[in-house]
Amino acid sequence: MVPVGGARSLVPTTPSGGGKEPRTMPVPVPRQRAIPAAESGQAQTVSHGAAGPAAAPAPHGEATKDTTVEKDSRSGGHHAHGSAPLTLLLIEDDPGGSPIVPELIDSSGKPIRIRTARNLTEAGRLLTDDVHCILLDLALPAPGRAGGADDELAVLKQVLELAPRHAVLALTASGDAERGAEAVRVGAQDYLLRDELDGPLLSRAIRYAVERKRSDSAERRLAEGKLRAQENRRLERGLLPTPLLDGAALRFAARYRPGRSRALLGGDFYDAVRTPDGTVHAMIGDVCGHGPDEAALGVELRIAWRALTLAGLCGDELLNTLQQVLEHERADDEIFATLCTVDIAPDGRRAGLCLAGHPAPLVITPGRPARLLPYENNGPALGLLPGARWPRTQVELGAEWSLMLYTDGLIEGRGGVDGERLGQDGMLEMVRRQLDQGLRGEELLREAVNEARELNGGDLTDDVAVVLLDRQP
């Protein structure tokens, strides 16, 4: 331990030996980013001899207003990132007084470089990217406050605002541990008492502060990421539709699985509403791709479809308007969307079908195997052909039926050991088998999606949406 004098400076001073007067031995000091002399003041350096470092600061009369002290290895070389020595920025207002053990060694045995700043203005100029830690004298007056009387930690708070990504060590007077502990509560990584300070202790404290700051930053980023993920999930969940089928003699079920990981919403979309005349309108669609942009566009198309349907549009007129919405909202001219719409008559026995590049729905009726509705009048996907037309096909459903609408994510997975796609024929066979097992409603949809995934040998890469409408007499 080196005795501490009355002044507060931590600039290293020691006699050169042999009873001679102290002398200064300047050596070139490379910097990661050059600091102009006009900004940093006159630089002083410390040389390292066999018996230890020896240097003395310039007399106060010769020192400039801003002084920078840096220490580096004897070779004067610059270390690459990953092996670079630690750099400490010391902020105190009197760098010409009390000494401290000058040899600060990092964990790899390299000297820790030191810069000093008299005030926060100079500290801001010296706070380059290669600074790892800040040692702040809490006795430093805060700008705009006489001696910091209004707030003992005002200067620390200003440093934390100035350097939010840097580790900060607070230096306080002997016996003032309470103030040091409060500094840690405010945001410093640790505190040090002036009369207990020596080289090894300060070296360890710097390394600890740097690692703790990295850990705190990583933990904060993780917490912020979790919070954003939770908010995104709440947002996506709120964007999924709630069918408006009050008064309809139909049961509704849906199954939705986005293709992208840890998401609730993909490029597939669906909805169902009942208009005042008793007609039930249902639709399912698929924007090409399954990222967040496609998910957003799918939501826009779904909301537009609901508004247009409730306004009385249907068939070709509705799809033409939706295409205009798609063309206006899409980010790229190559983006398109497929769509299937059905409008079920108030008596529930027949429906109108419009297909825009979309696979035909599957219908289930008593006494007959599950089958696909006609798809000969399938029109182009939305966004492909300006002025396209989409014919409306009238289909008879009967008194009791189930209608399953789905996106191609259900049928484009692999369907067996031969590696072929499941396809519509494979889906028909799968659903027929599940119906024979007595599955209906949500159980049928859940099993259909799960079996398609199992046949694929893992998660389906595309978004999957399935909607089931049931009518029982």
Side-chain angles (χ1 to χ4, degrees):
M1 177 112 57
V2 176
V4 178
R8 289 191 301 275
S9 173
L10 303 183
V11 178
T13 61
T14 182
S16 59
K20 297 180 181 180
E21 291 298 320
R23 57 194 179 92
T24 301
M25 299 178 63
V27 296
V29 180
R31 297 188 178 94
Q32 184 170 339
R33 193 176 83 186
I35 302 173
E39 292 184 0
S40 63
Q42 186 178 17
Q44 296 175 326
T45 63
V46 179
S47 63
H48 304 283
H60 285 289
E62 299 177 9
T64 60
K65 180 179 181 181
D66 294 335
T67 303
T68 300
V69 177
E70 290 198 7
K71 301 171 63 180
D72 209 338
S73 61
R74 289 186 63 182
S75 64
H78 181 69
H79 298 274
H81 181 74
S83 62
L86 292 174
T87 299
L88 174 71
L89 175 60
L90 168 64
I91 307 177
E92 63 143 8
D93 61 352
D94 186 8
S98 66
I100 187 174
V101 175
E103 187 67 23
L104 302 180
I105 304 298
D106 65 16
S107 59
S108 63
K110 299 183 180 70
I112 296 175
R113 301 190 302 177
I114 301 176
R115 295 177 183 170
T116 61
R118 293 174 181 266
N119 51 56
L120 296 190
T121 300
E122 184 181 354
R125 295 197 300 265
L126 300 180
L127 195 62
T128 51
D129 293 339
D130 59 332
V131 173
H132 299 88
C133 183
I134 297 172
L135 178 59
L136 172 66
D137 186 356
L138 294 181
L140 184 72
R145 294 178 173 86
D150 296 335
D151 185 349
E152 289 186 343
L153 298 178
V155 65
L156 171 62
K157 295 175 182 178
Q158 293 187 36
V159 168
L160 293 174
E161 293 179 3
L162 178 68
R165 295 187 301 273
H166 290 74
V168 177
L169 287 171
L171 183 64
T172 187
S174 305
D176 199 3
E178 182 177 348
R179 187 181 184 187
E182 182 63 25
V184 174
R185 285 191 289 270
V186 168
Q189 272 60 59
D190 204 350
Y191 73 93
L192 300 169
L193 298 178
R194 180 178 294 277
D195 64 349
E196 297 179 359
L197 196 61
D198 60 19
L201 174 62
L202 180 55
S203 296
R204 289 195 302 271
I206 292 171
R207 295 195 298 268
Y208 169 79
V210 170
E211 293 305 319
R212 182 176 178 183
K213 183 64 176 181
R214 289 174 180 168
S215 176
D216 291 345
S217 298
E219 184 176 352
R220 183 180 65 254
R221 288 193 298 269
L222 179 61
E224 291 173 351
K226 289 182 177 179
L227 180 60
R228 285 194 298 270
Q230 292 172 357
E231 292 175 346
N232 289 341
R233 290 177 69 86
R234 285 195 295 268
L235 176 62
E236 291 181 357
R237 188 177 294 110
L239 292 175
L240 290 173
T242 301
L244 302 177
L245 296 176
D246 293 344
L250 299 175
R251 292 185 304 178
F252 177 91
R255 191 76 175 170
Y256 194 97
R257 175 177 290 180
R260 57 194 176 105
S261 176
R262 296 185 299 274
L264 293 177
L265 203 62
D268 291 1
F269 54 100
Y270 66 88
D271 205 352
V273 298
R274 179 176 182 267
T275 49
D277 63 356
T279 302
V280 172
H281 305 262
M283 70 89 173
I284 195 165
D286 180 5
V287 177
C288 63
H290 49 268
D293 292 337
E294 289 78 12
L297 183 55
V299 171
E300 290 179 291
L301 292 175
R302 178 186 67 78
I303 294 174
W305 177 87
R306 175 176 286 196
L308 294 171
T309 299
L310 293 176
L313 276 68
C314 65
D316 189 73
E317 185 180 13
L318 185 148
L319 293 177
N320 182 65
T321 307
L322 279 181
Q323 174 161 275
Q324 296 179 42
V325 173
L326 170 66
E327 291 171 346
H328 184 270
E329 297 295 334
R330 64 186 176 184
D332 190 287
D333 290 344
E334 296 183 358
I335 293 177
F336 62 90
T338 66
L339 194 70
C340 167
T341 70
V342 293
D343 53 276
I344 303 167
D347 62 8
R349 302 182 67 90
R350 62 189 183 279
L353 171 67
C354 285
L355 297 175
H358 201 89
L362 180 149
V363 63
I364 305 164
T365 54
R368 296 185 60 182
R371 65 191 187 278
L372 297 176
L373 289 180
Y375 54 86
E376 290 79 7
N377 288 332
N378 200 332
L382 302 180
L384 291 183
L385 299 176
R389 302 298 298 272
W390 296 272
R392 179 177 179 273
T393 302
Q394 186 78 14
V395 295
E396 296 294 329
L397 298 175
E400 183 177 350
W401 48 264
S402 296
L403 195 60
M404 190 173 89
L405 287 64
Y406 54 92
T407 58
D408 58 7
L410 182 66
I411 60 177
E412 288 190 349
R414 303 298 174 179
V417 294
D418 55 2
E420 295 182 357
R421 296 204 178 271
L422 179 63
Q424 288 180 297
D425 292 339
M427 180 197 65
L428 276 173
E429 180 181 349
M430 178 182 71
V431 171
R432 288 168 181 171
R433 184 174 62 255
Q434 293 164 352
L435 289 170
D436 292 340
Q437 297 171 359
L439 299 178
R440 297 292 186 275
E442 292 185 2
E443 290 184 353
L444 175 64
L445 298 188
R446 181 170 57 251
E447 185 61 25
V449 174
N450 288 342
E451 185 170 339
R453 179 182 178 276
E454 292 173 2
L455 292 172
N456 188 57
D459 288 335
L460 299 166
T461 57
D462 199 2
D463 305 324
V464 178
V466 191
V467 170
L468 190 68
L469 292 168
D470 288 315
R471 183 179 188 271
Q472 297 180 350

